[in-house]
């Protein structure tokens, strides 16, 4: 596969991938994001791209015209909209790698649009947080051209494994895992904060160590609080796609829907400034204390 690389979405993942792929592949990298047209932040975002040697495109059409590989890295709720926009402009033969956390049904809709335009849709299930792995984050690929694209990505040092030619398998693996991982995050936040409110954390948490001795529950708790505080909105969107995944399997997504609500609630607290000033070394107790202090009187 010859040609340039394009990133749709210049958020945390888009920035990491654009910088990493430029260094690993030696190819020109382009990016497009709605933020590039936002008068409040466009100058800062475009300047960031320029400093990294990334070409900030003015439109999806411009990015599609310049790219032989297009990577979609947006929030879950925008997965289908990006595929719809790209399908209007993508050139035949272009690879379209969808990194987004979306249900098998959503990925199938995206694949139909891209493939109908003569391009090659490949879904990716990104199996853990991109930091600290960067472009070497473990990914499962699905689609008719998954093996071919995996070979190209492996040449750039990426950890991309083809798992199926059928669209939906990779995303099902990812989304079912997300119910567990994001569910653990939600459970820890709710359990730890309640324990802190009752003053029983020093009694409760040691019982977790006894039951699951392989987990450092204090360190893991701090990590869970920090990630949800920082990315709760994005995680809530992913959990709604996980809920769609469960529903597409024929079950009521009771747990997935509740997890989405908890992440949304934490995101709301973050937007209200509840966690302002907490640094990377903050303990889970620091996050819990902020939530307790922000409680509304009944």
């Amino acid at each position: 596969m010859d040609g340039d690389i394009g990133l749709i979405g210049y958020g945390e993942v888009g920035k990491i991938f654009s910088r990493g792929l430029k260094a690993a592949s030696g190819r020109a990298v382009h990016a497009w994001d709605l933020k590039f047209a936002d008068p409040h932040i466009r100058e800062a975002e475009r300047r960031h791209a320029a400093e990294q040697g990334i070409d900030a495109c003015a439109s999806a059409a411009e990015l599609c015209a310049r790219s032989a590989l297009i990577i979609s890295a947006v929030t879950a709720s925008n997965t289908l909209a990006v595929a719809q926009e790209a399908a209007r402009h993508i050139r035949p033969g272009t690879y379209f790698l969808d990194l987004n956390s979306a249900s098998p049904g959503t990925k199938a809709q995206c694949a139909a649009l891209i493939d109908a335009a003569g391009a090659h849709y490949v879904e990716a299930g990104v199996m853990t947080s991109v930091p600290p792995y960067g472009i070497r984050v473990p990914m499962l690929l699905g689609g008719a051209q998954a093996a071919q694209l995996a070979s190209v990505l492996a040449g750039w040092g990426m950890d991309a494994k083809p798992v199926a030619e059928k669209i939906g398998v990779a995303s099902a693996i990812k989304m079912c895992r997300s119910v567990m991982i994001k569910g653990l995050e939600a459970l820890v936040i709710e359990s730890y904060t309640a324990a802190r409110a009752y003053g029983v954390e020093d009694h409760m948490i040691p019982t977790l160590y006894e039951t699951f001795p392989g987990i450092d529950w204090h360190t893991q708790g701090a990590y869970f609080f920090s990630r949800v505080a920082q990315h709760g909105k994005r995680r809530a969107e992913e959990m709604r796609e996980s809920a769609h995944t469960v529903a597409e399997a024929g079950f009521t997504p009771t747990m997935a829907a509740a997890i989405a609500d908890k992440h949304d609630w934490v995101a709301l607290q973050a937007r209200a400034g509840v966690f302002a000033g907490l640094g990377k070394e903050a303990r889970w107790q620091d996050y819990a204390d902020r939530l307790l202090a922000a409680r509304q009187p009944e």
Side-chain angles (χ1 to χ4, degrees):
M1 182 189 67
D2 297 322
D4 297 353
I5 300 169
L7 268 293
I8 298 180
Y10 199 63
E12 181 187 36
V13 173
K15 288 180 170 73
I16 291 171
F17 265 73
S18 58
R19 181 175 63 250
L21 286 170
K22 182 176 177 61
S25 71
R27 302 186 183 196
V29 176
H30 313 280
W32 173 68
D33 193 296
L34 291 175
K35 293 183 294 187
F36 292 165
D38 186 327
H40 298 99
I41 57 175
R42 63 187 177 193
E43 293 305 320
E45 291 296 320
R46 286 178 171 273
R47 182 167 57 251
H48 183 281
E51 290 170 351
Q52 302 299 319
I54 308 301
D55 171 43
C57 295
S59 65
E62 181 182 345
L63 180 137
C64 289
R66 297 182 178 183
S67 306
L69 167 63
I70 296 173
I71 300 174
S72 179
V74 297
T75 57
S77 62
N78 288 315
T79 300
L80 182 57
V82 165
Q84 290 170 333
E85 179 66 14
R88 295 173 52 207
H89 309 290
I90 198 167
R91 296 178 298 167
T94 301
Y95 282 84
F96 185 94
L97 178 61
D98 192 337
L99 299 184
N100 305 311
S101 298
S103 74
T106 299
K107 291 290 183 82
Q109 292 180 68
C110 295
L113 291 165
I114 298 299
D115 290 347
H120 306 303
Y121 181 91
V122 177
E123 67 165 339
V126 181
M127 300 309 294
T128 190
S129 296
V130 173
Y133 294 91
I135 64 170
R136 293 174 176 78
V137 63
M139 294 191 297
L140 304 180
L141 304 188
Q145 299 297 317
Q148 289 84 344
L149 183 57
S151 178
V152 173
L153 300 181
W156 299 338
M158 298 176 67
D159 183 3
K161 177 184 177 182
V163 293
E165 293 187 359
K166 179 182 177 181
I167 295 295
V169 174
S171 58
I173 297 170
K174 159 69 175 180
M175 302 313 289
C176 291
R177 179 183 185 275
S178 290
V179 175
M180 286 295 297
I181 299 302
K182 272 62 177 183
L184 284 172
E185 292 174 344
L187 287 170
V188 163
I189 289 171
E190 186 161 302
S191 172
Y192 282 30
T193 304
R196 188 79 165 162
Y198 286 105
V200 299
E201 68 270 23
D202 290 341
H203 299 279
M204 186 276 290
I205 293 180
T207 69
L208 300 181
Y209 280 94
E210 292 173 4
T211 306
F212 302 101
I215 300 174
D216 184 337
W217 287 98
H218 284 290
T219 300
Q220 196 65 55
Y223 178 73
F224 283 165
F225 270 90
S226 67
R227 293 300 289 176
V228 180
Q230 185 177 2
H231 301 295
K233 182 177 184 295
R234 188 175 74 194
R235 280 164 143 70
E237 291 184 7
E238 179 177 326
M239 285 314 305
R240 291 196 174 86
E241 285 295 322
S242 292
H244 292 326
T245 300
V246 175
E248 288 167 6
F251 301 102
T252 301
T254 305
M255 297 303 298
I259 295 164
D261 288 344
K262 176 59 75 173
H263 283 252
D264 245 349
W265 177 78
V266 175
L268 179 63
Q269 307 309 305
R271 289 196 296 274
V274 169
F275 308 117
L278 291 181
K280 292 182 179 180
E281 303 304 317
R283 307 167 304 152
W284 72 260
Q285 292 94 331
D286 300 322
Y287 287 95
D289 286 344
R290 294 292 187 89
L291 291 174
L292 295 174
R295 286 175 296 182
Q296 297 298 318
E298 297 183 0

